[in-house]
Amino acid sequence: MSEKRIVTISRQFGSGGREVGKKLADHLHIPFYDKELIELAAKESGIDPELFEEDQGKIGKGFQLLNTIGFSLGSPITGISEMSLSDRMFLIQTEIIEQLAEKESCVLVGRCADYILADRDDVINIFIHADMTDRIQRAETDYAIKERNMEVYVNKIDKRRANYYNYYTDRRWGAANNYDACLNTSTFGIDGTANIIEVLLKSNH
Amino acid sequence: MSEKRIVTISRQFGSGGREVGKKLADHLHIPFYDKELIELAAKESGIDPELFEEDQGKIGKGFQLLNTIGFSLGSPITGISEMSLSDRMFLIQTEIIEQLAEKESCVLVGRCADYILADRDDVINIFIHADMTDRIQRAETDYAIKERNMEVYVNKIDKRRANYYNYYTDRRWGAANNYDACLNTSTFGIDGTANIIEVLLKSNH
């Protein structure tokens, strides 16, 4: 890819969105940020990396967690010491996402990157979803998750992702008009979807 | 296109979704149904074609309309004489959409065709949207609509399309996971979007 381009990927749990993003980044020889992003953010702030997980449903529970992990009330970033822990975590992630996007082409998975980078014109925003049967199968086989009712579990994780997104943005997670393109991996496959995104990057007018 | 394929297109008002569908159908040399579908449906039923317009917000107003146009209570289709007028219109459209899909490859715009054809495996469902500025401009220049507040008008038409879809299906209009792919014509252009759908048709695995 000659031109600098940032690809953000939002994804339903079990849709294979992370795998799509990884394949795309590998193929384009550009950096890929998912858990890696969390680690960067955690390193920056000194907060337990687990707290950055958007799937863990910890919004608004800042103070309980703060007590649980014995986190110091003093903020490492000046001027934001009166914010809640979750809001501070979001702000730290925001700064990191902005720095990454400024630096070079990359693929960013989750964490409201589409919203955070809305003002840039070198960004393409993708939402990845899949049919429930495939999502359940992927959760069981690829992610080795054991749950009595996997559909309930899958929907619960999505609900948390939606809550996180809807809380920190003025948009609704999974609504088509937030994204440049939404793609179903049950229709196009993981490789097929990654290939389509490459076509989309060339089609941007 | 050698294999038989049905493309359904749902679209935000002013997104150019109809134009995308027309270009795609022309390029693939397959029939295109939009207003044409309404005319077919109207011909079948003897009901005023205007009543088939999904944008006109007439759901649940069957009886008033029935009186207005002096429509006979006797239904041309056996066994559905006790349904409301709007439900009967939907049923007639459903039958026509099913017949069209059974017959040959085609492009179908609007009218819940994605939901009606959900059981078929030769269907690809597309949602077309666009940025508000482009939708307002298209409404003003291409459709020559004159409204004091065009954004309010554009949103009102969409609200009616959403009401129609949400009323007749168990899905939510514009939610990414209803569709195989959602595409933003502000990002990809009208021709670009039609070309991408051709790529999608080849990528279906």
Side-chain angles (χ1 to χ4, degrees), chain B residues 59-80:
Chain B
I59 292 164
K61 293 185 183 166
F63 276 102
Q64 295 95 299
L65 286 166
L66 204 134
N67 289 333
T68 312
I69 60 164
F71 182 76
S72 156
L73 271 167
S75 166
I77 296 185
T78 318
I80 56 162

PDB file of all heavy atoms in Angstrom, chain B residues 59-80:
ATOM      1  N   ILE B  59     -48.873   2.512   6.855  1.00  0.00           N
ATOM      2  CA  ILE B  59     -49.103   1.286   7.619  1.00  0.00           C
ATOM      3  C   ILE B  59     -50.161   1.542   8.686  1.00  0.00           C
ATOM      4  O   ILE B  59     -50.101   2.537   9.403  1.00  0.00           O
ATOM      5  CB  ILE B  59     -47.790   0.796   8.277  1.00  0.00           C
ATOM      6  CG1 ILE B  59     -46.840   0.319   7.195  1.00  0.00           C
ATOM      7  CG2 ILE B  59     -48.052  -0.313   9.282  1.00  0.00           C
ATOM      8  CD1 ILE B  59     -45.415   0.187   7.685  1.00  0.00           C
ATOM      9  N   GLY B  60     -51.116   0.626   8.778  1.00  0.00           N
ATOM     10  CA  GLY B  60     -52.142   0.731   9.817  1.00  0.00           C
ATOM     11  C   GLY B  60     -53.231   1.730   9.494  1.00  0.00           C
ATOM     12  O   GLY B  60     -54.140   1.939  10.265  1.00  0.00           O
ATOM     13  N   LYS B  61     -53.137   2.352   8.322  1.00  0.00           N
ATOM     14  CA  LYS B  61     -54.175   3.314   7.934  1.00  0.00           C
ATOM     15  C   LYS B  61     -55.071   2.703   6.854  1.00  0.00           C
ATOM     16  O   LYS B  61     -55.729   3.411   6.102  1.00  0.00           O
ATOM     17  CB  LYS B  61     -53.540   4.611   7.427  1.00  0.00           C
ATOM     18  CG  LYS B  61     -52.813   5.379   8.526  1.00  0.00           C
ATOM     19  CD  LYS B  61     -52.318   6.706   7.992  1.00  0.00           C
ATOM     20  CE  LYS B  61     -51.527   7.454   9.053  1.00  0.00           C
ATOM     21  NZ  LYS B  61     -50.763   8.559   8.478  1.00  0.00           N
ATOM     22  N   GLY B  62     -55.041   1.392   6.777  1.00  0.00           N
ATOM     23  CA  GLY B  62     -55.773   0.676   5.725  1.00  0.00           C
ATOM     24  C   GLY B  62     -57.206   1.117   5.564  1.00  0.00           C
ATOM     25  O   GLY B  62     -57.648   1.401   4.459  1.00  0.00           O
ATOM     26  N   PHE B  63     -57.897   1.245   6.676  1.00  0.00           N
ATOM     27  CA  PHE B  63     -59.322   1.495   6.549  1.00  0.00           C
ATOM     28  C   PHE B  63     -59.652   2.890   6.049  1.00  0.00           C
ATOM     29  O   PHE B  63     -60.522   3.062   5.213  1.00  0.00           O
ATOM     30  CB  PHE B  63     -60.055   1.155   7.854  1.00  0.00           C
ATOM     31  CG  PHE B  63     -60.363  -0.306   7.932  1.00  0.00           C
ATOM     32  CD1 PHE B  63     -59.586  -1.149   8.708  1.00  0.00           C
ATOM     33  CD2 PHE B  63     -61.392  -0.855   7.172  1.00  0.00           C
ATOM     34  CE1 PHE B  63     -59.852  -2.511   8.754  1.00  0.00           C
ATOM     35  CE2 PHE B  63     -61.658  -2.217   7.204  1.00  0.00           C
ATOM     36  CZ  PHE B  63     -60.887  -3.055   8.002  1.00  0.00           C
ATOM     37  N   GLN B  64     -58.907   3.891   6.575  1.00  0.00           N
ATOM     38  CA  GLN B  64     -59.133   5.243   6.066  1.00  0.00           C
ATOM     39  C   GLN B  64     -58.885   5.292   4.557  1.00  0.00           C
ATOM     40  O   GLN B  64     -59.698   5.812   3.804  1.00  0.00           O
ATOM     41  CB  GLN B  64     -58.192   6.269   6.709  1.00  0.00           C
ATOM     42  CG  GLN B  64     -58.384   6.477   8.197  1.00  0.00           C
ATOM     43  CD  GLN B  64     -57.435   5.626   9.023  1.00  0.00           C
ATOM     44  OE1 GLN B  64     -57.471   4.390   8.935  1.00  0.00           O
ATOM     45  NE2 GLN B  64     -56.596   6.269   9.806  1.00  0.00           N
ATOM     46  N   LEU B  65     -57.769   4.709   4.138  1.00  0.00           N
ATOM     47  CA  LEU B  65     -57.402   4.716   2.732  1.00  0.00           C
ATOM     48  C   LEU B  65     -58.441   3.974   1.902  1.00  0.00           C
ATOM     49  O   LEU B  65     -58.818   4.392   0.817  1.00  0.00           O
ATOM     50  CB  LEU B  65     -56.039   4.046   2.541  1.00  0.00           C
ATOM     51  CG  LEU B  65     -54.879   4.910   3.018  1.00  0.00           C
ATOM     52  CD1 LEU B  65     -53.620   4.089   3.115  1.00  0.00           C
ATOM     53  CD2 LEU B  65     -54.695   6.070   2.043  1.00  0.00           C
ATOM     54  N   LEU B  66     -58.874   2.870   2.454  1.00  0.00           N
ATOM     55  CA  LEU B  66     -59.866   2.030   1.813  1.00  0.00           C
ATOM     56  C   LEU B  66     -61.119   2.841   1.502  1.00  0.00           C
ATOM     57  O   LEU B  66     -61.692   2.770   0.415  1.00  0.00           O
ATOM     58  CB  LEU B  66     -60.194   0.912   2.806  1.00  0.00           C
ATOM     59  CG  LEU B  66     -60.740  -0.390   2.299  1.00  0.00           C
ATOM     60  CD1 LEU B  66     -59.990  -1.537   2.981  1.00  0.00           C
ATOM     61  CD2 LEU B  66     -62.215  -0.481   2.609  1.00  0.00           C
ATOM     62  N   ASN B  67     -61.509   3.663   2.483  1.00  0.00           N
ATOM     63  CA  ASN B  67     -62.671   4.522   2.265  1.00  0.00           C
ATOM     64  C   ASN B  67     -62.367   5.601   1.234  1.00  0.00           C
ATOM     65  O   ASN B  67     -63.170   5.881   0.360  1.00  0.00           O
ATOM     66  CB  ASN B  67     -63.106   5.178   3.580  1.00  0.00           C
ATOM     67  CG  ASN B  67     -63.727   4.151   4.519  1.00  0.00           C
ATOM     68  OD1 ASN B  67     -64.269   3.147   4.064  1.00  0.00           O
ATOM     69  ND2 ASN B  67     -63.634   4.397   5.821  1.00  0.00           N
ATOM     70  N   THR B  68     -61.176   6.194   1.354  1.00  0.00           N
ATOM     71  CA  THR B  68     -60.783   7.287   0.474  1.00  0.00           C
ATOM     72  C   THR B  68     -60.840   6.872  -0.991  1.00  0.00           C
ATOM     73  O   THR B  68     -61.334   7.606  -1.844  1.00  0.00           O
ATOM     74  CB  THR B  68     -59.333   7.738   0.785  1.00  0.00           C
ATOM     75  OG1 THR B  68     -59.217   7.899   2.184  1.00  0.00           O
ATOM     76  CG2 THR B  68     -58.984   9.020   0.070  1.00  0.00           C
ATOM     77  N   ILE B  69     -60.327   5.684  -1.269  1.00  0.00           N
ATOM     78  CA  ILE B  69     -60.264   5.280  -2.684  1.00  0.00           C
ATOM     79  C   ILE B  69     -61.458   4.420  -3.096  1.00  0.00           C
ATOM     80  O   ILE B  69     -61.563   4.001  -4.238  1.00  0.00           O
ATOM     81  CB  ILE B  69     -58.954   4.504  -2.984  1.00  0.00           C
ATOM     82  CG1 ILE B  69     -58.848   3.234  -2.136  1.00  0.00           C
ATOM     83  CG2 ILE B  69     -57.736   5.400  -2.798  1.00  0.00           C
ATOM     84  CD1 ILE B  69     -57.819   2.237  -2.625  1.00  0.00           C
ATOM     85  N   GLY B  70     -62.375   4.162  -2.146  1.00  0.00           N
ATOM     86  CA  GLY B  70     -63.561   3.379  -2.474  1.00  0.00           C
ATOM     87  C   GLY B  70     -63.224   1.958  -2.897  1.00  0.00           C
ATOM     88  O   GLY B  70     -63.843   1.388  -3.795  1.00  0.00           O
ATOM     89  N   PHE B  71     -62.248   1.383  -2.208  1.00  0.00           N
ATOM     90  CA  PHE B  71     -61.804   0.027  -2.558  1.00  0.00           C
ATOM     91  C   PHE B  71     -62.785  -1.017  -2.026  1.00  0.00           C
ATOM     92  O   PHE B  71     -63.262  -0.917  -0.912  1.00  0.00           O
ATOM     93  CB  PHE B  71     -60.411  -0.208  -1.951  1.00  0.00           C
ATOM     94  CG  PHE B  71     -59.823  -1.540  -2.279  1.00  0.00           C
ATOM     95  CD1 PHE B  71     -59.282  -1.778  -3.541  1.00  0.00           C
ATOM     96  CD2 PHE B  71     -59.827  -2.561  -1.343  1.00  0.00           C
ATOM     97  CE1 PHE B  71     -58.750  -3.004  -3.850  1.00  0.00           C
ATOM     98  CE2 PHE B  71     -59.287  -3.796  -1.656  1.00  0.00           C
ATOM     99  CZ  PHE B  71     -58.746  -4.031  -2.912  1.00  0.00           C
ATOM    100  N   SER B  72     -63.084  -2.017  -2.840  1.00  0.00           N
ATOM    101  CA  SER B  72     -63.996  -3.081  -2.422  1.00  0.00           C
ATOM    102  C   SER B  72     -63.383  -3.940  -1.317  1.00  0.00           C
ATOM    103  O   SER B  72     -62.192  -4.250  -1.350  1.00  0.00           O
ATOM    104  CB  SER B  72     -64.304  -3.967  -3.629  1.00  0.00           C
ATOM    105  OG  SER B  72     -64.698  -5.244  -3.196  1.00  0.00           O
ATOM    106  N   LEU B  73     -64.181  -4.314  -0.324  1.00  0.00           N
ATOM    107  CA  LEU B  73     -63.686  -5.149   0.770  1.00  0.00           C
ATOM    108  C   LEU B  73     -63.359  -6.571   0.333  1.00  0.00           C
ATOM    109  O   LEU B  73     -62.611  -7.273   0.999  1.00  0.00           O
ATOM    110  CB  LEU B  73     -64.686  -5.190   1.931  1.00  0.00           C
ATOM    111  CG  LEU B  73     -64.505  -4.095   2.973  1.00  0.00           C
ATOM    112  CD1 LEU B  73     -65.719  -4.020   3.892  1.00  0.00           C
ATOM    113  CD2 LEU B  73     -63.257  -4.340   3.826  1.00  0.00           C
ATOM    114  N   GLY B  74     -63.935  -7.009  -0.758  1.00  0.00           N
ATOM    115  CA  GLY B  74     -63.655  -8.355  -1.266  1.00  0.00           C
ATOM    116  C   GLY B  74     -62.233  -8.438  -1.792  1.00  0.00           C
ATOM    117  O   GLY B  74     -61.783  -7.580  -2.542  1.00  0.00           O
ATOM    118  N   SER B  75     -61.458  -9.430  -1.323  1.00  0.00           N
ATOM    119  CA  SER B  75     -60.063  -9.545  -1.746  1.00  0.00           C
ATOM    120  C   SER B  75     -59.956 -10.369  -3.013  1.00  0.00           C
ATOM    121  O   SER B  75     -60.663 -11.348  -3.177  1.00  0.00           O
ATOM    122  CB  SER B  75     -59.253 -10.217  -0.649  1.00  0.00           C
ATOM    123  OG  SER B  75     -58.015 -10.621  -1.164  1.00  0.00           O
ATOM    124  N   PRO B  76     -59.039  -9.971  -3.908  1.00  0.00           N
ATOM    125  CA  PRO B  76     -58.840 -10.781  -5.114  1.00  0.00           C
ATOM    126  C   PRO B  76     -58.121 -12.100  -4.793  1.00  0.00           C
ATOM    127  O   PRO B  76     -58.094 -12.991  -5.610  1.00  0.00           O
ATOM    128  CB  PRO B  76     -57.965  -9.886  -5.994  1.00  0.00           C
ATOM    129  CG  PRO B  76     -57.259  -8.975  -5.059  1.00  0.00           C
ATOM    130  CD  PRO B  76     -58.140  -8.824  -3.875  1.00  0.00           C
ATOM    131  N   ILE B  77     -57.528 -12.200  -3.606  1.00  0.00           N
ATOM    132  CA  ILE B  77     -56.824 -13.426  -3.228  1.00  0.00           C
ATOM    133  C   ILE B  77     -57.643 -14.163  -2.168  1.00  0.00           C
ATOM    134  O   ILE B  77     -57.990 -13.601  -1.139  1.00  0.00           O
ATOM    135  CB  ILE B  77     -55.398 -13.120  -2.709  1.00  0.00           C
ATOM    136  CG1 ILE B  77     -54.575 -12.503  -3.850  1.00  0.00           C
ATOM    137  CG2 ILE B  77     -54.724 -14.370  -2.168  1.00  0.00           C
ATOM    138  CD1 ILE B  77     -53.126 -12.267  -3.502  1.00  0.00           C
ATOM    139  N   THR B  78     -57.969 -15.416  -2.436  1.00  0.00           N
ATOM    140  CA  THR B  78     -58.838 -16.187  -1.552  1.00  0.00           C
ATOM    141  C   THR B  78     -58.211 -16.365  -0.168  1.00  0.00           C
ATOM    142  O   THR B  78     -57.025 -16.626  -0.056  1.00  0.00           O
ATOM    143  CB  THR B  78     -59.065 -17.592  -2.156  1.00  0.00           C
ATOM    144  OG1 THR B  78     -59.269 -17.428  -3.553  1.00  0.00           O
ATOM    145  CG2 THR B  78     -60.248 -18.281  -1.528  1.00  0.00           C
ATOM    146  N   GLY B  79     -59.001 -16.253   0.871  1.00  0.00           N
ATOM    147  CA  GLY B  79     -58.542 -16.595   2.215  1.00  0.00           C
ATOM    148  C   GLY B  79     -57.873 -15.454   2.950  1.00  0.00           C
ATOM    149  O   GLY B  79     -57.468 -15.612   4.086  1.00  0.00           O
ATOM    150  N   ILE B  80     -57.707 -14.296   2.332  1.00  0.00           N
ATOM    151  CA  ILE B  80     -57.071 -13.195   3.062  1.00  0.00           C
ATOM    152  C   ILE B  80     -57.988 -11.982   3.147  1.00  0.00           C
ATOM    153  O   ILE B  80     -57.551 -10.876   3.377  1.00  0.00           O
ATOM    154  CB  ILE B  80     -55.705 -12.794   2.464  1.00  0.00           C
ATOM    155  CG1 ILE B  80     -55.814 -12.426   0.985  1.00  0.00           C
ATOM    156  CG2 ILE B  80     -54.674 -13.879   2.676  1.00  0.00           C
ATOM    157  CD1 ILE B  80     -54.630 -11.624   0.475  1.00  0.00           C
TER     158      ILE B  80
END
